[in-house]
C-alpha cells in the first residue's frame, strides 16, 4: 500500500533471463522431455519387454542347469570314491543295469501293446496340454 508500483516492475525487469539463458533452459527441457518419452515408449513396448524376460529366463535356466550338473558330478564322484571300486567297474555295472531295465521295459511293452498305447497317449496329451498353456 505504501509502495510505488513502478518499483516492483523495475525489480522484475532486472530479474528477467537473457535470451541465451532462455535458449539453454528450452534445450534442457527438450532433452528431459525426450528422455521421458523414450522411457515411456520402452515401457509400453510389450514385445521387447517379453523378449528381455525370455532372455533373462534363458540365462537363469542355463545357470541352474550348470549348477545341477556340477552337483550331480560331485555326487557321482563321492559315490565312486565311497564304493571303493574303480570308476570303470562301477560305471559298467550301472550300464548293465540300465540296459537290463531298458530290455525289461521293451518286453513289457511288447507283451501289452494296449498299455504302451495308453502310456503314449497320456504322455502326448500331457505334452500338448503343457504346450498350449505356455
Amino acid at each position: 500500500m505504501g509502495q510505488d508500483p513502478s518499483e516492483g516492475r523495475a525489480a522484475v525487469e532486472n530479474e528477467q533471463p537473457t535470451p541465451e539463458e532462455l535458449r539453454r533452459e528450452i534445450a534442457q527441457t527438450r532433452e528431459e522431455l525426450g528422455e521421458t518419452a523414450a522411457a515411456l515408449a520402452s515401457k509400453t513396448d510389450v514385445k521387447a519387454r517379453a523378449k528381455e524376460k525370455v532372455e533373462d529366463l534363458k540365462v537363469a535356466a542355463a545357470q541352474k542347469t550348470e549348477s545341477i550338473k556340477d552337483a550331480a558330478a560331485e555326487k557321482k564322484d563321492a559315490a565312486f570314491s565311497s564304493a571303493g571300486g574303480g570308476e570303470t567297474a562301477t560305471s559298467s555295472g550301472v550300464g548293465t543295469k540300465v540296459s537290463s531295465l531298458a530290455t525289461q521295459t521293451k518286453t513289457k511293452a511288447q507283451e501289452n501293446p494296449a498299455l504302451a498305447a495308453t502310456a503314449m497317449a497320456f504322455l502326448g496329451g500331457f505334452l500338448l496340454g503343457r504346450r498350449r498353456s505356455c
Side-chain angles (χ1 to χ4, degrees):
M1 301 252 151
Q3 291 182 340
D4 185 15
S6 62
E7 287 178 19
R9 265 188 258 146
V12 170
E13 288 175 9
N14 290 339
E15 293 177 11
Q16 285 185 351
T18 64
E20 184 60 35
E21 290 173 339
L22 286 173
R23 286 186 191 104
R24 271 189 255 127
E25 187 177 327
I26 289 171
Q28 182 180 358
T29 303
R30 284 181 180 160
E31 186 177 321
E32 290 171 358
L33 183 61
E35 291 171 1
T36 303
L40 286 172
S42 69
K43 283 187 176 184
T44 59
D45 189 2
V46 176
K47 189 174 183 179
R49 291 179 63 130
K51 285 182 180 180
E52 289 173 5
K53 184 69 173 174
V54 166
E55 288 302 316
D56 291 345
L57 290 173
K58 282 182 183 179
V59 168
Q63 290 172 346
K64 189 69 170 176
T65 301
E66 194 63 34
S67 68
I68 290 171
K69 283 181 181 179
D70 292 342
E74 289 174 9
K75 289 187 182 208
K76 179 188 88 167
D77 292 342
F80 285 145
S81 64
S82 67
E87 187 173 325
T88 312
T90 308
S91 61
S92 67
V94 170
T96 305
K97 288 181 182 179
V98 169
S99 176
S100 172
L101 184 61
T103 304
Q104 289 174 1
T105 305
K106 186 176 178 181
T107 304
K108 291 199 184 258
Q110 288 173 347
E111 291 173 0
N112 194 349
L115 179 63
T118 304
M120 289 177 57
F122 175 76
L123 182 61
F126 176 75
L127 292 176
L128 284 176
R130 284 183 51 110
R131 185 174 182 193
R132 289 184 183 155
S133 67
C134 290

